Amino acid sequence: MNFASDNTAPVHPKIMAALEAANSGHAMAYGNDAIAKRLDKHFADLFERPCAVFPVATGTAANSLSLAAMAPPWGAVYCHPDAHINTDECGAPEFYTGGAKLVGVPGVNGKIDAQTLDATLAGARRIGVHQVQPAAVSITNATEAGTVYAVSEIAALAEIAHSADLKFHLDGARFANALVHQRATPAEATWRAGVDILSFGATKNGCIAAEAIVVFDEALAATIALRRKRAGHLFSKMRYLAAQLEAYVADDLWLGMARHANTLAQRLANALAAIPGAKLAHTVEANEIFVELPEASIVALEQAGFSVYRWNGPGTQLLRLVVSWSSRLEDADRLAATALAAGPRIG
């Protein structure tokens, strides 16, 4: 009954089976095995064009290495103030870029506001050598608020970035959940909308430890290969990362898992919103729910054994609930019933 994070979920059986199958005999190291060599073809089919794929073990590595390929040490990376790269990666993007500065560009519901980005970039070079120089824009989809950028919103931000000669990065830690909500193809939601590099997340959605840097801008691929090695993320036994990713995208397994999580999150959000005194902080569009609940309801959930996350720290009443691929309908319904039973009565 853990709704604190999708990172707590187990590995999907098909992905575990793929690892077991890969764990047979000897295979060439450093991505020269048969499974890793197939990834470029799998992802080219998925994204409807050739692309370079670099498996890594963590989302922090995927984001930081991507940005390092885009921004020099004197560069600026524009992101939402609540973006994971800005709040939860312990300075890794700054470290791997050699000192590039993250610059927050606000907007409601976890999304960068296009007009604000345009205005920010318009004045960014006026001071010249005395300030960091614009280099890249990074968005998160699904966002840290659990909302999803529409394809048209991505395209508008990418157009602003490219018009200013900046690269455009998409942190897709929950890319599958965003894609299911968008009802778009992977191509439509990435390179066709202007994305240069995608951090393709899989760990939160059924894998053990597997992410991929997917590069659509060919000029950036060579430097990422070298940066990945220098950063210690070129695994010698790459077949085990590759096997996870291969099974993940096979037969749309990744989208099926995300669809289950999104659907159950919407059901749970609707039930919680009906509790007297409850209030959704953001529209639920992926697998995260931000909801204010009466304290009595929260205490009842904690006492019943539910793992929930008080978003602003102990004592606060804003919860973040995350539904995973393995969350069960009966647990979600029981959570809602428990919160309702402990909440205030009307009339």
Side-chain angles (χ1 to χ4, degrees):
M1 299 192 297
N2 194 315
F3 289 86
S5 173
D6 41 10
N7 285 317
T8 67
V11 177
H12 192 281
K14 289 186 177 180
I15 292 170
M16 192 66 80
L19 280 167
E20 181 66 27
N23 193 38
S24 176
H26 294 256
M28 297 299 290
Y30 300 109
N32 292 307
D33 61 277
I35 305 172
K37 286 184 175 182
R38 292 197 296 262
L39 283 185
D40 279 352
K41 175 63 165 60
H42 289 316
F43 277 74
D45 291 343
L46 193 67
F47 288 96
E48 304 175 51
R49 59 161 287 175
C51 51
V53 183
F54 300 91
V56 293
T58 71
T60 295
N63 288 336
S64 300
L65 292 171
S66 296
L67 295 175
M70 295 176 157
W74 53 87
V77 177
Y78 298 90
C79 62
H80 193 276
D82 295 333
H84 201 272
I85 60 172
N86 196 42
T87 62
D88 288 284
E89 293 185 344
C90 199
E94 294 92 332
F95 175 77
Y96 280 103
T97 58
K101 185 179 180 67
L102 301 182
V103 179
V105 181
V108 299
N109 295 318
K111 298 180 183 180
I112 292 175
D113 179 76
Q115 290 185 337
T116 303
L117 176 63
D118 199 18
T120 300
L121 294 180
R125 290 191 173 93
R126 291 176 185 169
I127 305 178
V129 72
H130 298 285
Q131 73 174 32
V132 289
Q133 299 297 296
V137 172
S138 177
I139 66 169
T140 311
N141 210 23
T143 73
E144 301 303 321
T147 55
V148 174
Y149 284 95
V151 171
S152 60
E153 292 175 313
I154 298 172
L157 291 172
E159 175 60 27
I160 292 169
H162 291 153
S163 295
D165 200 27
L166 275 63
K167 297 298 184 182
F168 195 77
H169 168 253
L170 196 161
D171 175 359
R174 295 184 175 94
F175 179 61
N177 303 95
L179 202 63
V180 167
H181 177 78
Q182 291 168 322
R183 297 183 180 178
T185 67
E188 290 168 342
T190 55
W191 64 270
R192 284 182 180 156
V195 174
D196 296 307
I197 299 181
L198 165 68
S199 295
F200 182 88
T203 303
K204 295 181 187 297
N205 191 33
C207 288
I208 293 177
E211 314 282 309
I213 302 169
V214 182
V215 187
F216 304 110
D217 184 337
E218 186 177 349
L220 299 173
T223 181
I224 287 182
L226 296 170
R227 290 180 186 278
R228 181 178 63 165
K229 173 62 177 178
R230 184 173 180 265
H233 274 270
L234 179 60
F235 281 61
S236 59
K237 294 186 178 180
M238 188 66 74
R239 60 172 153 163
Y240 296 104
L241 271 68
Q244 293 178 69
L245 292 168
E246 183 176 52
Y248 184 66
V249 300
D251 301 319
D252 287 340
L253 175 64
W254 64 304
L255 297 178
M257 289 190 288
R259 189 171 293 110
H260 166 80
N262 284 16
T263 301
L264 194 54
Q266 189 63 63
R267 178 187 176 99
L268 179 57
N270 291 341
L272 293 174
I275 296 172
K279 181 182 178 182
L280 291 173
H282 305 286
T283 303
V284 177
E285 295 179 337
N287 65 320
E288 294 179 280
I289 303 165
F290 290 83
V291 60
E292 293 181 16
L293 288 178
E295 181 64 20
S297 293
I298 299 174
V299 171
L301 292 174
E302 293 170 340
Q303 292 177 343
F306 287 96
S307 293
V308 296
Y309 186 67
R310 293 186 187 245
W311 187 242
N312 294 321
T316 59
Q317 292 174 240
L318 178 63
L319 298 186
R320 186 195 71 167
L321 305 173
V322 189
V323 180
S324 77
W325 74 269
S326 65
S327 295
R328 301 188 306 172
L329 174 64
E330 54 266 36
D331 289 337
D333 286 348
R334 184 183 167 198
L335 187 154
T338 301
L340 176 61
R345 298 289 185 266
I346 295 180

